[in-house]
Amino acid sequence: MVQTKILACKGRGAEDIFQRVRDLIEDGSLGQGESLPPIRALAQALEVNRNTVAAAYRRLVAAGLAEAAGRAGTRVAPRTRLGMPLGVHAFTAAPGLLELASGNPDPALLPDYAPYLAALPPMPPALYGQPCYLPELQAWGRDWWLRQGCIGATVAEPLLAQGALDGIERVLAAWLAPGDTVLVEEPCFPGSLALLRQMGVTLIGLPLDGEGMLPDALEAALARKPKALLWTPYSHNPTGVNTTQARAAALRAIIDTHPELLLIEDDHFAAFSDAPTPSLVSPGRARWAAVRSLAKWLGPDIRLAFLTGDDTTLTRVQRRQYVGPRWPSFLLQRLALALLQAPEVEALRRRAAQCYAERHVALTTALRRHGLAAQPGGGLNVWLPLADDAVVAQALAARGYLVRAGDAFRVTRRLSALRISCAALPVERADELADAVADCLGGLGAAA
């Protein structure tokens, strides 16, 4: 039926096919989630080359009208809210609801900016043509990697991006084109999924165990000639998995046999790591980048992230940045540097690291008492696999707890789990929440 509708297009070029499918989506003839015909079948029906249909499908994905689902083909992209990409949600809890869905850091463990803004010394206005970054802030970022990182390649002076996703997008745009294949962990952070789908790339999800990505899955996926791998070394969102140094070494050995692969490391939780975070970057790697955001440490409103990598990647990113925003706000750069250099903010960071670790352990331990096996790890979230996550999430909302179901984190395969943001959950309330989860499971007759 879908193929019959598409066959009515006026021409047989990629642009004609793209416009016909676009019209069908926009007038509602093709509903969200509806599968498009396989490329081979549609090409035969239209009597055109397969590459023509493939090009039309790539344009649909790049336009956000369709999404590539791996071996499941291409389908109409869900359009849950006008103007908002899939995976982007507002988490303003209704009165009486405990918000455990956003993945935010605890506001009580973030610094108050006001005193530091008031104390900033006078500075001439920033003007076009001047250097884009504060040298002192760049040096601080480079030193952070040198004292707390395992990157095998030379760490250059980092660029400054407007948050981790901004840095990741700029690196991907420097090397990739719509239709290219990118490897990600599955489950995957919804922000990364939304970004990658908007860019029109094809995604392959790599499963995890308690030590990180599975080497066999990575090796099999690399046989499909992907262009890039986006990887989280520590406190993976949503699962909390910390990649072990041994697993990182095994993954690195596999990746070293594919020197053309672009490797991007999103080390979002580095501020709270107890030890140097693992890396997959070996000496001499040609295409790589690493990102460290200040969002979890200093707050999401500090729209800054350090971005380092190989010389070619950094050059491409900075050139593109210069014809766009040119530089991150010097006001934010100066504020961030003042915060990073303040002893009291460093003390707050140490306290936050301890609190987040304690809260994660408290909730996973409380769930375990009920026979509920949450994923071991760390970070701001607890990942709890369940047989029917959506029903349990609804039941928890009725009891006053707002959590996220697993479908938001899937790449291609069905996921059934709850992601519970525990960053601001007091230790003394962990048993109360675990009791509620167990009661919901029992009351629904649902198996854990």
Side-chain angles (χ1 to χ4, degrees), residues 126-377:
L127 299 174
Y128 300 121
Q130 70 180 61
C132 297
Y133 317 118
L134 288 178
E136 303 92 335
L137 188 56
Q138 282 185 284
W140 196 99
R142 183 171 182 269
D143 182 62
W144 188 11
W145 262 297
L146 293 179
R147 70 176 184 268
Q148 191 189 12
C150 298
I151 294 175
T154 301
V155 176
E157 288 288 325
L159 310 182
L160 289 168
Q162 293 175 309
L165 284 176
D166 177 59
I168 291 168
E169 180 178 22
R170 292 182 183 281
V171 171
L172 290 168
W175 289 108
L176 270 61
D180 285 343
T181 298
V182 177
L183 308 181
V184 296
E185 295 141 317
E186 186 165 26
C188 186
F189 171 53
S192 298
L193 286 175
L195 167 64
L196 291 163
R197 285 169 175 155
Q198 288 287 323
M199 294 184 73
V201 300
T202 299
L203 298 178
I204 298 177
L206 302 177
L208 307 165
D209 64 11
E211 296 185 49
M213 281 190 306
L214 298 179
D216 289 348
L218 173 62
E219 195 156 22
L222 287 171
R224 297 173 63 181
K225 305 297 184 183
K227 295 294 187 181
L229 166 64
L230 176 58
W231 175 68
T232 307
Y234 192 82
S235 295
H236 171 258
N237 185 355
T239 65
V241 167
N242 299 320
T243 300
T244 64
Q245 292 290 355
R247 178 60 59 81
L251 297 169
R252 189 165 54 247
I254 296 170
I255 288 172
D256 283 348
T257 64
H258 293 76
E260 74 289 348
L261 183 74
L262 171 64
L263 175 60
I264 305 174
E265 299 184 345
D266 179 12
D267 194 4
H268 72 286
F269 212 66
F272 307 115
S273 172
D274 294 330
T277 52
S279 173
L280 303 184
V281 179
S282 296
R285 183 154 201 93
R287 297 181 184 180
W288 68 276
V291 184
R292 282 186 172 178
S293 169
L294 295 173
K296 306 298 187 297
W297 181 355
L298 303 182
D301 200 33
I302 297 287
R303 305 305 306 156
L304 290 174
F306 296 106
L307 171 65
T308 191
D310 66 273
D311 290 341
T312 302
T313 296
L314 293 184
T315 298
R316 289 186 176 193
V317 168
Q318 189 165 28
R319 284 176 178 171
R320 180 65 185 87
Q321 186 183 50
Y322 192 74
V323 297
R326 301 203 178 191
W327 64 82
S329 165
F330 275 98
L331 180 60
L332 282 178
Q333 292 188 50
R334 294 170 66 208
L335 173 60
L337 184 62
L339 292 166
L340 293 170
Q341 293 176 336
E344 61 275 15
V345 175
E346 168 59 19
L348 185 60
R349 182 198 65 80
R350 292 195 298 269
R351 181 183 161 215
Q354 180 180 353
C355 286
Y356 293 145
E358 290 174 349
R359 291 167 185 176
H360 195 280
V361 169
L363 182 54
T364 55
T365 301
L367 290 166
R368 197 178 304 121
R369 288 199 215 44
H370 292 281
L372 300 173
Q375 172 67 56

Side-chain angles (χ1 to χ4, degrees), residues 9 52 56-57 66 113 120 154-155 158 178 186 189 226 231 237 280 290 362 373 384 393 395 399 404 406:
C9 61
T52 301
Y57 280 16
Y113 304 154
L120 289 178
T154 301
V155 176
E186 186 165 26
F189 171 53
W231 175 68
N237 185 355
L280 303 184
L384 178 63
R399 289 171 176 251
R404 292 197 79 171

